[in-house]
Amino acid sequence: MAALLASAATPTTSAVRAICDADGVIALAWPAVEHYDPDSDKLAYYERDTGTTFGLTIRQTGGPCLAALNALLTQIEQDWRAAGATGANLVWPCREMSIDQPLAAHGFAKDACIAVKPMAEPRPAATGRRRSLSARLAVPDDEPMLLRLQEAVLAAHIPDSPFARRVPAVRARFHDRLAEMWAGRTPADGAPLVVVAEDQGQIVGMSECFVRRHDIALDMLLPDGLYGYVNTFGVLPERRGGGAGRFLADAVERALSHFDVRGIYLYYSYYNTAAMAFWSKVGYSPLWRTYQCRRLIPSAR
């Protein structure tokens, strides 16, 4: 999905906020606000002015820690509003203690999972029941079908997510990125890598990917290094369940392996159980969970 697609945004940051007791810091975070342009495709998932945090950290488990988190959220909500935020987005490790209850008290709901697959030796092209399928990189003549598939991916998200919505910028920005690719820009230049799956010459699926460098000291999501990022992944509805998705996922892995990436990551909706099962089946493990608040409320109840 397009949850982390690079687009024009200006961050506003505040001082680090912390809640302490006699033994030191219990909870801390560095609040910031992302201000997205009116024509950003991120508006399909976020408010134009969205609060976020860097390094949300809690020292201990149990009641004292959840009370500290509640106090911390109250502080950073004030910072978000002062910077003009109307919504907010938070990230928390899937394997840590649940913070669902205090987040819900502040108007947050589960949004998506960030899943990661370490890079291994890519699987060879499948045979057997999928022997009629083939994969290749997209070419300009594919654009009408690519746009159709990209719109279908967002349409599939909307029923499953309380946050996804249609905005014209999604199609427009994808068209712009395809134009960069047709002009000869490569993933090393920031352009996408688009892989298509065909059945007897007819496109049945596509995936838009990027190659990104992560610095754990800055984003705290992944260890340092290059990673493949699957921004869009979709198969025609009538072809789902027949092996085309698995074939396309394998083809994406083979394509990204040429860039010496440490792994591949992607987002899927927390509410899309079919996507959760599919990505687990092809080797992706949930690492982070995102929460979103579409409208900031004055204070926690």
Side-chain angles (χ1 to χ4, degrees):
M1 66 192 287
L4 277 186
L5 181 65
S7 59
T10 303
T12 300
T13 58
S14 303
V16 173
R17 297 299 183 185
I19 303 297
C20 304
D21 64 7
D23 295 320
V25 175
I26 305 177
L28 64 85
W30 182 8
V33 175
E34 297 285 355
H35 305 284
Y36 299 114
D37 291 339
D39 60 351
S40 170
D41 52 2
K42 281 211 172 187
L43 298 182
Y45 296 95
Y46 302 108
E47 293 298 291
R48 183 173 175 186
D49 301 294
T50 294
T52 187
T53 64
F54 300 102
L56 176 61
T57 305
I58 302 174
R59 188 187 70 198
Q60 60 188 19
T61 61
C65 128
L66 296 180
L69 175 59
N70 180 66
L72 179 67
L73 288 170
T74 299
Q75 285 190 3
I76 62 180
E77 283 169 345
Q78 295 172 358
D79 293 322
W80 285 335
R81 290 192 196 89
T86 56
N89 179 56
L90 291 173
V91 179
W92 184 250
C94 290
R95 297 181 181 179
E96 294 292 334
M97 58 171 285
S98 172
I99 59 172
D100 294 359
Q101 184 174 350
L103 289 183
H106 287 259
F108 284 85
K110 294 172 184 174
D111 183 9
C113 293
I114 306 174
V116 182
K117 180 178 183 178
M119 182 55 74
E121 188 68 25
R123 288 162 53 92
T127 57
R129 66 173 181 160
R130 290 175 278 170
R131 61 179 177 273
S132 64
L133 293 170
S134 60
R136 59 173 175 81
L137 297 182
V139 297
D141 286 346
D142 299 330
E143 184 161 332
M145 191 61 176
L146 298 178
L147 291 169
R148 175 187 166 190
L149 280 163
Q150 198 262 2
E151 290 178 342
V153 169
L154 178 58
H157 281 309
I158 292 174
D160 292 323
S161 170
F163 303 111
R165 57 193 171 190
R166 290 183 181 274
V167 296
V170 171
R171 180 184 177 93
R173 299 291 77 76
F174 185 44
H175 171 78
D176 293 345
R177 296 192 298 275
L178 290 175
E180 293 181 359
M181 197 169 63
W182 308 149
R185 294 191 65 194
T186 69
D189 306 316
L193 179 75
V194 178
V195 180
V196 300
E198 292 182 311
D199 189 345
Q200 300 181 24
Q202 300 297 313
I203 295 176
V204 298
M206 77 90 177
S207 181
E208 181 194 21
C209 313
F210 293 86
V211 175
R212 292 182 170 171
R213 181 169 295 280
H214 280 264
D215 182 341
I216 196 169
L218 296 178
D219 59 36
M220 303 187 75
L221 290 178
L222 295 166
D224 296 350
L226 282 178
Y227 290 83
Y229 168 57
V230 178
N231 182 60
T232 304
F233 185 98
V235 173
L236 291 174
E238 62 269 23
R239 297 303 302 265
R240 293 170 189 165
R246 177 60 181 262
F247 180 88
L248 180 58
D250 290 344
V252 166
E253 188 171 340
R254 290 194 300 273
L256 288 171
S257 69
H258 297 295
F259 296 91
D260 295 325
V261 297
R262 292 189 61 175
I264 305 172
Y265 72 103
L266 50 83
Y267 284 58
Y268 59 78
S269 171
Y270 173 83
Y271 305 94
N272 189 335
T273 55
M276 186 182 303
F278 172 79
W279 290 114
S280 176
K281 185 177 179 179
V282 298
Y284 287 78
S285 300
L287 185 62
W288 299 90
R289 181 174 295 132
T290 70
Y291 298 79
Q292 191 173 163
C293 173
R294 184 52 60 83
R295 290 285 182 268
L296 288 174
I297 57 179
S299 62
R301 292 185 293 275

